[in-house]
Amino acid sequence: MEFRNDLVKGSITPVILKLLSERELYGYEIVKVVNERTGGALEWKEGTLYPCLHQLEADGLLTAEWRDTPSGKSRKYYRVTRRGRAELAHRVREWTQFSSAVNAVLLGSPA
Amino acid sequence: MNTFDDLIESATRRLRPDPELRQEVARELRGHLEDAADGARARGCAEDDAQQEALRSFGDADALADRLWQANRRRMRLRAVARWAGRIVLVPLTVLVALWLALGTLDFTEFMGLCGQVGGAAPLSFPHYLNPGLRDHTLRPRAGLSDEDRFVNEHRTGAAGAREIVDHYPNNTLYRAHRATMRLSHPNKSGTFSPTDLAEVLAQLDAGERLDPDNAYWNYMKAAAHIFLSGAATDEEDESFAYTRRWRDGTVKRVYGFRLSITDALSFEQGMVEYRKGLAKPRYDSYNMTFAAHILSLNKKPTTLVGEMAAVAITAGALLPDLARMRQLTRCATARARQLAREGHRDEAEILLRTAPVPASQMAMNSRSLIELMVAANMRQAALREGAVVYEQLGATAKAAKCRDLAELDQDRFNSLFGDSAYQRLVLDRGAILSGILLPGIRLTDLAILDDVRLAERALVESAALGLVALAFLAVITWVGAAVLFALWRHRKDARGPRLYFVGWRRLGLVLVVAVAMPLTAYWAFTRLTPFASVNYGLNVTTIQTLAEMAVAGLTILVLSIVVGAWAVRARCRAVKLDDPVQLRQTRRRCLIPVLAVCMLTVGLISHTYVRWNEYRHISALQQPGRRLFLDEVDYTSAAQYRDYLRSLPHHGALE
């Protein structure tokens, strides 16, 4: 199933923050992990990931560092800052409340 | 051309204003595309298909370009400002600041000149204690000075002009005194004092005496002129005649009398006639303080420590020559008394001994500066102690005892000045320092705490030496800049492509801490907290020591700036994966300039602020009323008590 653009866009930031809060990842790895976990349901245009990462870095929610991998390639690894973790907690709360509210209307389940 | 190049070029085109960022983003995107293509190949795609799939899943380049620009624009703007500052403002600003600080070397030159004059063996010359060029820079005359003012301030009207001015104001005693004492200090170009010179000096002094007949000053100066011609005005000690003096700290020292060697007996006798006339006068006023105040009023208030020293030097230059003449007169009188006693002229000898303390008392009674008072006290002590010994030799033990008692009493009175804690704190500890430095021959150990003297001297030398350090920095930054320009010109084809402009705030901060803050702190701690620097004092020692320490500190800062700065550039290069060797060499060198500039700017501004603050402490101490020891009005200090004691003595302090 293909999701609408605005739904995907709104979920990118919390997803990135969540994944990076678990461990350091570089861009391509993030895409891979997302695909693994969602079974390919979230079909990102992969390029859109980078503006999002850069924006989060500029906002101080992520930091980045170039490192060489054993294969000899160099990758830019991202990790979440303390502010980023606080933002993630906020986003998770927000998402929970939002989805409950939407579910209450669409599915009739209690909010 | 790589398949991904078009997409990367297109996606990063809006980042073009920041080549370093663009290269970093391009590297990241390329890594992603290559990984994606590798993944597709691993899934069994053909080479071309794998690349096409990577491109497809990456998305639209134009949309990505816009979003990358939006995400990075704030960072680009900040870096653009840093780059602009680095290119347009920072380096020229550093050069300007270094030049401005280097102007301090002018102060340094003057300062060394001042040291040369103060510390040298040359006698104090009045009023050119400072040479004219030196004075012009350290003390600036007020605008629109009249010829008369310039006569007082600069002495540039020439001998004829000076005479005209004095003749034009026949009733001005200040001009008369100034002209006479100037002629006494500078007899003529060959340094001799001919009878014609004497005639002119005497004419001025006679005129002064007619205008101000109660003032002993004119007679004493005439006596000094005659005695100068008589050949007795040497400064030799007579080792066959010694007596003891008790100093403020309780130590007793052996002191020698003055050796009298007269080559022109007539002149000496004429001098003694004037001396005796002076003894009979009710008061003594040298005009020196009025004159010094007048000179200073013609100049702008000094704003630097060297300027303040120049002002102190001018005042001292106005006071000391006449004080030296008076001291010499008293010493001649007591030496003459000894001579007469040896020759059997007991009555004449006793007259001279009885009146020997009088010039000192006359001076002290009307003294308006502490230095006059102190010199007078010294003269009076010498006259009384020496008198006691001569009376003893004459067998007049009662008179000898009286002399000794008076000397003890006098010494106690004088010493009590130093027990006054406010006086000690306000005058001795601070105000005395620079005056003390400037007045060789004064027993500084009696007056001030050595550590304070050393710090004041250091403040003075640091202020001057900062200019030299700035000059060295200026030379380095010019050299590095020229080397970079030359390298750019030589490798102008290689100079295109990615450039590194900014090492990052954290690395810059680290460079400043390691290369600037730590050496400056170490310098401060070494000079202020360790015992190494407080072993010696005196400008000759302090100057060399401070210059050496500042040279070491400056060199350390320079080497650390280059080494740590280069490390910061390398670290930045590694961080953004700039690894093309040619580019890297170019880039590093170019990048080092702003880092060096920031270091030097920081050093310059911190040092300048510190030095000026240090100067300000001493200047403000000197400029407060009553705190400029020697040179301020006695009334501000407890020294007035000693003066009042002398005023209360009958017969101008002569022995009854």
Side-chain angles (χ1 to χ4, degrees), chain A residues 9 26-28 31 44-48 50-51 53-55 57-59 66-68 73-76 78, chain B residues 24-25 27-29 31-32 35-36 38-39 56-59 64 67-68 70-72 74-75 575 577:
Chain A
K9 247 186 192 174
Y26 58 92
Y28 182 70
V31 175
W44 289 353
K45 279 293 172 200
E46 292 171 14
T48 56
Y50 290 96
L53 286 171
H54 293 177
Q55 186 64 56
E57 192 187 358
D59 290 343
W66 282 93
R67 277 210 299 267
D68 291 333
K73 287 184 176 177
S74 54
R75 315 280 193 208
K76 192 176 178 186
Y78 292 89
Chain B
E24 189 187 345
V25 174
R27 180 177 291 271
E28 192 178 23
L29 297 185
H32 183 107
D35 283 344
D38 288 347
R56 212 171 25 251
S57 59
F58 206 72
L64 184 58
R67 296 198 59 197
L68 279 173
Q70 276 175 4
N72 287 291
R74 199 171 55 189
R75 188 165 19 166
K577 295 294 166 192

Side-chain angles (χ1 to χ4, degrees), chain B residues 224-274:
Chain B
H226 285 298
I227 286 174
F228 181 82
L229 269 188
S230 78
T234 59
D235 212 11
E236 293 167 16
E237 287 178 334
D238 181 0
E239 289 177 12
S240 67
F241 183 83
Y243 59 99
T244 52
R245 285 278 308 266
R246 178 167 62 88
W247 298 100
R248 188 167 65 87
D249 57 7
T251 55
V252 176
K253 287 192 177 165
R254 195 175 163 82
V255 182
Y256 293 111
F258 179 55
R259 181 193 298 280
L260 197 63
S261 47
I262 304 167
T263 53
D264 180 348
L266 182 62
S267 284
F268 187 83
E269 196 41 52
Q270 284 172 322
M272 293 313 285
V273 169
E274 289 296 339

Side-chain angles (χ1 to χ4, degrees), chain B residues 517-549:
Chain B
M518 282 168 59
L520 283 183
T521 310
Y523 172 81
W524 179 86
F526 178 80
T527 56
R528 263 68 179 178
L529 303 180
T530 66
F532 302 110
S534 59
V535 176
N536 295 308
Y537 73 98
L539 276 175
N540 51 348
V541 176
T542 310
T543 304
I544 294 166
Q545 190 176 332
T546 306
L547 282 179
E549 285 163 3

Side-chain angles (χ1 to χ4, degrees), chain B residues 3-4 37 40-41 45-56:
Chain B
T3 322
F4 304 132
R41 274 192 290 274
C45 287
E47 179 65 33
D48 283 355
D49 291 346
Q51 291 191 353
Q52 287 308 319
E53 192 184 321
L55 286 172
R56 212 171 25 251

Side-chain angles (χ1 to χ4, degrees), chain B residues 83-323:
Chain B
R83 199 165 55 235
W84 181 83
R87 270 180 177 170
I88 310 294
V89 178
L90 195 59
V91 173
L93 184 68
T94 309
V95 171
L96 278 180
V97 167
L99 266 177
W100 171 59
L101 292 176
L103 286 180
T105 48
L106 289 180
D107 275 350
F108 185 78
T109 319
E110 284 145 20
F111 163 72
M112 292 311 283
L114 198 62
C115 292
Q117 292 188 36
V118 172
L124 300 174
S125 58
F126 171 75
H128 293 299
Y129 193 65
L130 305 174
N131 70 51
L134 184 60
R135 273 189 52 178
D136 280 357
H137 193 76
T138 48
L139 273 184
R140 298 184 191 284
R142 295 187 188 282
L145 293 189
S146 63
D147 279 353
E148 291 80 359
D149 290 340
R150 290 184 61 220
F151 162 64
V152 171
N153 191 43
E154 302 165 28
H155 272 275
R156 291 217 181 128
T157 47
R163 193 175 299 137
E164 276 167 24
I165 287 172
V166 174
D167 292 345
H168 190 71
Y169 298 92
N171 294 330
N172 189 320
T173 46
L174 189 67
Y175 288 172
R176 296 269 178 206
H178 177 41
R179 175 80 180 143
T181 195
M182 186 188 75
R183 295 290 286 154
L184 276 173
S185 294
H186 299 279
N188 56 33
K189 280 181 185 168
S190 62
T192 56
F193 199 63
S194 68
T196 325
D197 295 328
L198 177 70
E200 211 227 312
V201 169
L202 293 180
Q204 295 297 347
L205 293 170
D206 283 339
E209 192 182 3
R210 279 193 296 278
L211 292 165
D212 183 15
D214 289 343
N215 190 351
Y217 171 77
W218 311 105
N219 304 99
Y220 288 143
M221 288 305 115
K222 279 189 265 184
H226 285 298
I227 286 174
F228 181 82
L229 269 188
S230 78
T234 59
D235 212 11
E236 293 167 16
E237 287 178 334
D238 181 0
E239 289 177 12
S240 67
F241 183 83
Y243 59 99
T244 52
R245 285 278 308 266
R246 178 167 62 88
W247 298 100
R248 188 167 65 87
D249 57 7
T251 55
V252 176
K253 287 192 177 165
R254 195 175 163 82
V255 182
Y256 293 111
F258 179 55
R259 181 193 298 280
L260 197 63
S261 47
I262 304 167
T263 53
D264 180 348
L266 182 62
S267 284
F268 187 83
E269 196 41 52
Q270 284 172 322
M272 293 313 285
V273 169
E274 289 296 339
Y275 172 77
R276 282 190 286 273
K277 281 187 192 169
L279 293 175
K281 295 279 175 82
R283 65 182 175 84
Y284 170 91
D285 182 357
S286 69
Y287 298 97
N288 289 337
M289 280 299 283
T290 313
F291 193 74
H294 190 41
I295 293 181
L296 293 181
S297 75
L298 299 176
N299 292 280
K300 291 174 185 159
K301 195 175 177 181
T303 53
T304 62
L305 207 52
V306 174
E308 185 60 41
M309 281 185 74
V312 171
I314 280 175
T315 317
L319 285 172
L320 291 186
D322 281 350
L323 289 179

Side-chain angles (χ1 to χ4, degrees), chain B residues 336-494:
Chain B
R336 178 69 178 150
R338 269 189 278 127
Q339 207 176 43
L340 288 169
R342 269 202 296 269
E343 291 165 4
H345 304 291
R346 183 185 174 117
D347 292 346
E348 288 174 61
E350 282 206 34
I351 290 172
L352 276 179
L353 288 177
R354 192 160 52 80
T355 54
V358 172
S361 304
Q362 285 172 315
M363 264 172 67
M365 277 187 260
N366 201 34
S367 61
R368 290 160 62 196
S369 70
L370 194 55
I371 188 164
E372 280 179 298
L373 191 68
M374 294 186 79
V375 172
N378 200 347
M379 282 164 59
R380 200 174 137 76
Q381 275 289 308
L384 289 170
R385 302 268 177 195
E386 218 174 311
V389 179
V390 183
Y391 274 128
E392 241 164 33
Q393 288 172 351
L394 289 172
T397 47
K399 285 177 181 169
K402 184 168 186 183
C403 267
R404 215 167 280 121
D405 289 348
L406 269 176
E408 286 295 321
L409 188 64
D410 208 89
Q411 183 78 57
D412 288 341
R413 287 271 180 175
F414 187 71
N415 288 353
S416 68
L417 289 181
F418 297 93
D420 180 337
S421 64
Y423 173 82
Q424 179 82 33
R425 194 176 64 250
L426 295 180
V427 180
L428 294 186
D429 291 356
R430 284 270 167 249
I433 293 168
L434 293 186
S435 313
I437 295 167
L438 277 165
L439 298 168
I442 298 293
R443 278 173 53 90
L444 201 59
T445 45
D446 275 0
L447 302 173
I449 298 164
L450 288 187
D451 269 1
D452 279 352
V453 175
R454 190 176 51 75
L455 288 180
E457 288 172 343
R458 183 175 281 281
L460 199 66
V461 183
E462 277 174 344
S463 150
L466 183 61
L468 286 183
V469 173
L471 261 187
F473 281 6
L474 187 66
V476 169
I477 201 156
T478 310
W479 174 68
V480 176
V484 166
L485 282 179
F486 179 66
L488 277 178
W489 174 76
R490 258 183 62 197
H491 302 283
R492 50 195 180 280
K493 283 181 189 160
D494 303 329

